[in-house]
Amino acid sequence: MSPRRDRPSTDAPRTGARKPYTRPSSAHRTARETLSKRLSAGDPRSDQHPQRRIPVGLSTSSVFPAGVEEAFRLAHEIGYDGIEVMVSYPKDSQEPALLREYSERYELPILSLHAPTLFFLQGLWGRDAWVKIERTIEIAKELGVPTIVAHPPFRWQGKYAHGFVEGVAALEEEHGIAIAVENMYPWRLGVRELLNYFPDHDPTDEQYSHVTVDLSHAATAGDDALEMIERLGDRLTHLHLTDGSGRTTKDEHLPPGEGNQPCAEVLRRLANRGWEGSVLLEVTTSNNAEVRERTLRQSLAFARHHLGHHLEDEVDEGGDVGSTTP
């Protein structure tokens, strides 16, 4: 997990330019095709020289509609390194005492909390968006969680949206908790896309000290995830490991390897540079318990392999490649 940085990194660009309210829907296709051509033309998968064993956690949203405790149970049984809790309507996602109990019972640290800044959670804790972030910070402080994840504001959120970049910095300074702002995507409306986030759906060009990159969101937006992680440098705090095709208006959250995102390449590059953050699996799984568990096991194996965990196992076990799942 990454410690909070005290001030914005000097490599955080800010152009001051703002995109219009809409753009042609062809924008995401063009970006996707550019990435595909670049990879096909010889942007090779990185060799594996991991500098750090990066932890792989499980987001509680990956077991929806099953509950928070089920996420802890599965993560413990399968062998994940920690949990990201999506703060939502269920009381145990909001209650520090219960979350501490789950963490202790299943021997898993809470790596991060996801603030309830999603569109369908606008009614949770009232309409004041700052309250949602501030209450999540208080839960994090009580539990000793170093990071919360938050979505950028919608354009229609007025003063909250226009003061968001500065407000995030002020809250980080006041509370000592990292607020990792997550990349999102435009809403596609026929031949146009609605650029519904402010200042932008892509937080990499703003002066945030901490950012979360979600690979499914990058797919839907048509953004180049490899360029994003390079632009961010040490400001990248969390990676939501997931996949997407980018060929639908939906945010797919496919298991890694089932879409067209460079999931393996991203993981290898992060491991090779000794990245100090955490990987959190955030995928859509089946309502069938057996299928869900199989997906979570396969996804963990994928993450551990491309992060180079097996290379460490190989050394520890005297030359035999260790299993990536229990």
Side-chain angles (χ1 to χ4, degrees):
M1 61 189 75
S2 295
R4 185 187 68 84
R5 282 176 287 281
D6 292 332
R7 59 183 60 86
S9 175
T10 56
D11 62 353
R14 186 184 179 96
T15 63
R18 290 290 177 262
K19 293 182 179 179
Y21 283 94
T22 66
R23 71 179 185 184
S25 282
S26 60
H28 80 282
R29 291 196 302 273
T30 301
R32 186 179 69 233
E33 290 165 1
T34 299
L35 173 61
S36 177
K37 289 177 181 178
R38 180 159 61 80
L39 293 174
S40 300
D43 188 349
R45 180 178 294 170
S46 299
D47 292 335
Q48 290 190 283
H49 302 289
Q51 302 300 305
R52 171 179 178 257
R53 185 182 178 90
I54 295 172
V56 183
L58 178 66
S59 168
T60 58
S61 65
S62 295
V63 305
F64 182 83
V68 174
E69 185 175 5
E70 178 66 1
F72 274 90
R73 186 192 70 79
L74 280 169
H76 172 77
E77 181 176 317
I78 295 170
Y80 282 85
D81 299 312
I83 287 284
E84 177 172 287
V85 175
M86 172 66 75
V87 179
S88 186
Y89 291 107
K91 290 299 182 182
D92 60 352
S93 73
Q94 312 170 19
E95 177 51 56
L98 285 172
L99 292 174
R100 182 180 291 108
E101 179 185 334
Y102 295 160
S103 179
E104 293 173 353
R105 181 188 308 165
Y106 296 103
E107 301 177 311
L108 284 170
I110 300 175
L111 301 174
S112 51
L113 301 175
H114 197 309
T117 49
L118 287 72
F119 182 76
F120 73 90
L121 294 176
Q122 289 187 86
L124 181 63
W125 297 339
R127 294 290 179 176
D128 188 330
W130 283 122
V131 169
K132 300 177 191 296
I133 294 179
E134 290 165 356
R135 288 187 62 170
T136 306
I137 287 173
E138 292 305 319
I139 297 172
K141 289 170 69 175
E142 188 165 344
L143 294 173
V145 176
T147 305
I148 74 167
V149 176
H151 289 182
F154 295 107
R155 283 183 179 268
W156 61 77
Q157 289 181 294
K159 291 182 180 179
Y160 169 71
H162 286 270
F164 185 72
V165 178
E166 295 77 11
V168 163
L171 286 174
E172 288 186 322
E173 183 66 27
E174 178 181 356
H175 297 285
I177 298 288
I179 303 174
V181 180
E182 185 174 0
N183 64 306
M184 294 301 292
Y185 50 89
W187 290 354
R188 211 163 299 146
L189 305 169
V191 297
R192 303 291 294 178
E193 290 180 345
L194 175 64
L195 303 176
N196 47 311
Y197 291 97
F198 191 90
D200 197 356
H201 71 273
D202 178 357
T204 61
D205 287 336
E206 299 300 324
Q207 290 182 325
Y208 299 117
S209 292
H210 306 90
V211 173
T212 295
V213 167
D214 182 298
L215 298 179
S216 178
H217 297 172
T220 306
D223 292 332
D224 186 333
L226 289 174
E227 286 191 355
M228 292 177 76
I229 66 169
E230 294 303 320
R231 284 200 302 272
L232 286 166
D234 291 340
R235 295 192 298 136
L236 179 65
T237 304
H238 277 342
L239 178 77
H240 279 169
L241 178 60
T242 179
D243 211 337
S245 69
R247 295 186 174 89
T248 173
T249 58
K250 296 179 180 178
D251 177 18
E252 297 171 286
H253 280 277
L254 301 174
E258 294 191 8
N260 62 13
Q261 292 302 286
C263 299
E265 176 67 7
V266 166
L267 293 173
R268 289 175 180 234
R269 288 191 184 188
L270 292 177
N272 287 352
R273 80 185 195 198
W275 179 58
E276 292 295 323
S278 300
V279 170
L280 284 307
L281 184 78
E282 189 178 86
V283 297
T284 299
T285 55
S286 171
N287 288 336
N288 180 286
E290 183 178 341
V291 176
R292 174 188 294 132
E293 181 173 340
R294 184 164 64 246
T295 298
L296 297 181
R297 287 185 180 275
Q298 291 172 342
S299 297
L300 179 59
F302 181 100
R304 284 183 167 168
H305 177 76
H306 291 293
L307 288 171
H309 289 191
H310 64 292
L311 300 178
E312 181 179 302
D313 294 338
E314 189 176 72
V315 172
D316 290 345
E317 299 180 17
D320 295 328
V321 177
S323 173
T324 55
T325 55

